[in-house]
Amino acid sequence: MTPRTAAALSGLLRGKNAVNLAPEQVPKLLATRASPARVEDGVCLRDPPGARYPLDEIPRRDAAVGANRVLFDYARRGMVLEVLDQFSVARRGGVLVDSATLSCVLKACRSVPDRVLGEQLHCLCVKCGHDRGEVSAGTSLVDMYMKCGSVCEGIEVFEGMPKKNVVTWTSLLTGCAHAQMHSEVMALFFRMRAEGIWPNPFTFASVLSAVASQGALDLGQRVHAQSVKFGCRSSVFVCNSLMNMYARCGLVEDAKSVFNWMETRDMVSWNTLMAGLQLNECELEALQLFHESRATMGKMTQSTYATVIKLCANLKQLALARQLHSCVLKHGFHLTGNVMTALADAYSKCGELADALNIFSMTTGSRNVVSWTAIISGCIQNGDIPLAVVLFSRMREDRVMPNEFTYSAMLKASLSILPPQIHAQVIKTNYQHIPFVGTALLASYSKFGSTEDALSIFKMIEQKDVVAWSAMLSCHAQAGDCEGATYLFNKMAIQGIKPNEFTISSVIDACACPSAGVDQGRQFHAISIKYRYHDAICVSSALVSMYSRKGNIDSAQIVFERQTDRDLVSWNSMISGYAQHGYSMKAIETFRQMEASGIQMDGVTFLAVIMGCTHNGLVVEGQQYFDSMVRDHKINPTMEHYACMVDLYSRAGKLDETMSLIRDMPFPAGAMVWRTLLGACRVHKNVELGKFSADKLLSLEPHDSSTYVLLSNIYAAAGKWKERDEVRKLMDYRKVKKEAGCSWIQIKNKVHSFIAFDKSHPMSDQIYKKLKVIITRLKQDGYSPNTSFVLHDIAEDQKEAMLVAHSERLALAFGLIATPPGTPLQIVKNLRVCGDCHMVMKMVSMIEDREIIMRDCSRFHHFNGGACSCGDEQTHEKAPPEAQLHCTSQIQVVVLIPVEFLRWVIIILLGGASSWVISLNLKECTEGADMMVLIASAAVLQFAVALFIKVFFFA
């Protein structure tokens, strides 16, 4: 409709004398806008001049019948602008307006849509009294307002109508459904039924659409029953709506049942079922349905192509996507925006980013926010983040406004400069309140450790769904904030949000942090069983990792063995757990099982198995796994791998091989490598190499206190007190503070922390009294303090006093006091346990008959029955041979000597009996021999028999 025509029509609606249309303009206007029509003779209405001529010959131009017939004919043909032009001419000619005419024009107005023109027509309806007369005019008004997005006005017109029919109700329900007012749709539907209005198939289609958007299965089943009751279940589009509802509620089998029951199917039916299968991750079944139904479906529509190409994208079926691309070109859909966007997405997901970009470049005329978002997401998925940033900028230059999906895709890019910039754009366009945009924002900030920023974004999300809660819990887990994760989970439960498997796995990951209580992970394990998520692979993998990191390797093994399906995380968690707990052979065995299962290994897998070899001194095996990683699996070693190999060589005392490995690294050695070598130099008392490593480490991290401490300890162990004092002075000059040793133990859901010489605990007197009793008992059993671990130039009695007050011993004494006999104790220390404390832990585990699990900064130590799971490896310095003899002599006297005594008694008795029998036979054979010779022979024989029994039966 031209601007002049619109102005004329607007004037006519306001009043007769508002605008004067020149008489000479009327024929010209009608000649350009009329469509073929024949009024009186019923001729074919395909020639515009032929349509105008009979109307011009009508004697009375105010004849409503003739004008309405032309008007209705335009409307049937979908010629919206012609309807409005014809109404303008008829109104100018003084034709009376009835409710049918207004209904026809209002339908045309809703198709434009033009709310201003619709309001003017509403005024005309009120002026002519048709708004409260015929139902058709009021229904058209409701429909017009709903189509124009004026939901409140549509509801107001609806409530003011004295009479309503099923079409009126359906127009209102459809408009509310399009406006995402799903709860209002259901309320209106039940009100309609209460007022005795029988729904029709269109009513059920609108209501089912609202139910599908809500995912309200109970309501959907009730509406399904109503459709059967009113005989609408045979309607094709009702069945299509039912399939969509069941598929979006996750009931694929019910959707398939509706499809199989249908007697007549259209293209929408096939497309709906395929889309539902795709939505529920049944892509293979959807693709099979497509292949089986090619003959039945006939010619495919653009919706069919778009759906099937999406299946190819999800399944990464590049060959089929290319075939469909050929069909798209053949049938002329290459100009269809959604089809070409689906093709570009399929190519990018299959790794063919160049082909995706070619398709995108050819769709210059049909680019919209969906196609831009698809190509940007494809660049991010293929790792070309700079190109994604460029395309995002070009998109905004082309004045295409990003939507929530665009922002969500851009936030997945792992560039530290992007989150604040994208965040600013999100705030500017007011998308920060949308749940999944806010979720993407907080996930992006959490990647960079910005927990406070993520929490502030989380608070701004208005309607938090379970995904947003899970993302925030994952952020707390990455930050090691178990307390914050637990509080958030409880708050989520109070608000009635049901957790899913990802929610529970995130909070279990948070319970694996060192500051978390021992029993918190078990509680969330119970919650996972309550919600029946304990068998989900992400939950069970998190449980394996949590139990192994909290010292309960047996529970981790039980969860691991119960897994029916294992992914890479499960295998890596179990291998790493065995390695950290000192069970190297189990780690290697699990690695071989993983290799046999065909799981593709990664760098974390080999890092875990090499770590297991390191803790048990398996140098040859560790080197073999390192070579296999590079040679067979084509995995490039990282700094962590080289640091682990340096640890492997240096623990075994192969410092020359260690330096050769460092020199051959493809990149400069980092702080982790030099720190590992420095620790080995302390163990092996290599002062020169230690000084060299410390210099390298201080050039990289000049403010790391551990470097100064290790170097000063090396000098102190070598008796170079002057050099040791110089290192300490350098620390003071650079204002570097040493990290204080601290130990934690949890008793009855409360964590108690201790530092050396700590007397702040309420039970300090009992703790030190218990320590005194323990040391006295240990000395009676042969313990002698190894004061070489006190690296201070002080008297021996002062060194011994310093050893007694170590933080791990205070935690041990408190645990022995605060728990019943036989209760296992679990202690965590932020530094490495010293060798003397390690020896004390071993002896206490035997005399107290306790299992003591200790986690230091390097690994776990399981003390049980006087032994440690680490096998006394050199994570700490071993005590001198004298100290080892002192601490083990009593154990041998109590355990080994009685067993050896009984063994020799058995040997002598058996040997004596055997030799006595043999001597009797010799006596019978040598009656004339000398008795002394016989006795001597019997003694020699007895010793020989005893020695034989000892060697072959008691070796």
Side-chain angles (χ1 to χ4, degrees), residues 469-483:
W469 287 94
S470 301
M472 195 64 234
L473 282 169
S474 178
C475 182
H476 282 295
Q478 291 176 14
D481 185 7
C482 179
E483 184 178 355

Side-chain angles (χ1 to χ4, degrees), residues 820-832:
T823 305
L825 301 178
Q826 188 162 346
I827 302 171
V828 180
K829 187 176 181 181
N830 62 336
L831 303 177
R832 286 191 179 185

Side-chain angles (χ1 to χ4, degrees), residues 846 865-866 884-885 887-905 950 954:
M846 194 187 84
Q884 293 185 11
L885 289 175
C887 68
T888 58
S889 59
Q890 183 66 22
I891 300 175
Q892 291 180 356
V893 168
V894 175
V895 180
L896 297 179
I897 291 180
V899 174
E900 192 69 17
F901 176 78
L902 293 174
R903 184 182 296 174
W904 277 107
V905 169
K950 163 70 176 175
F954 294 97

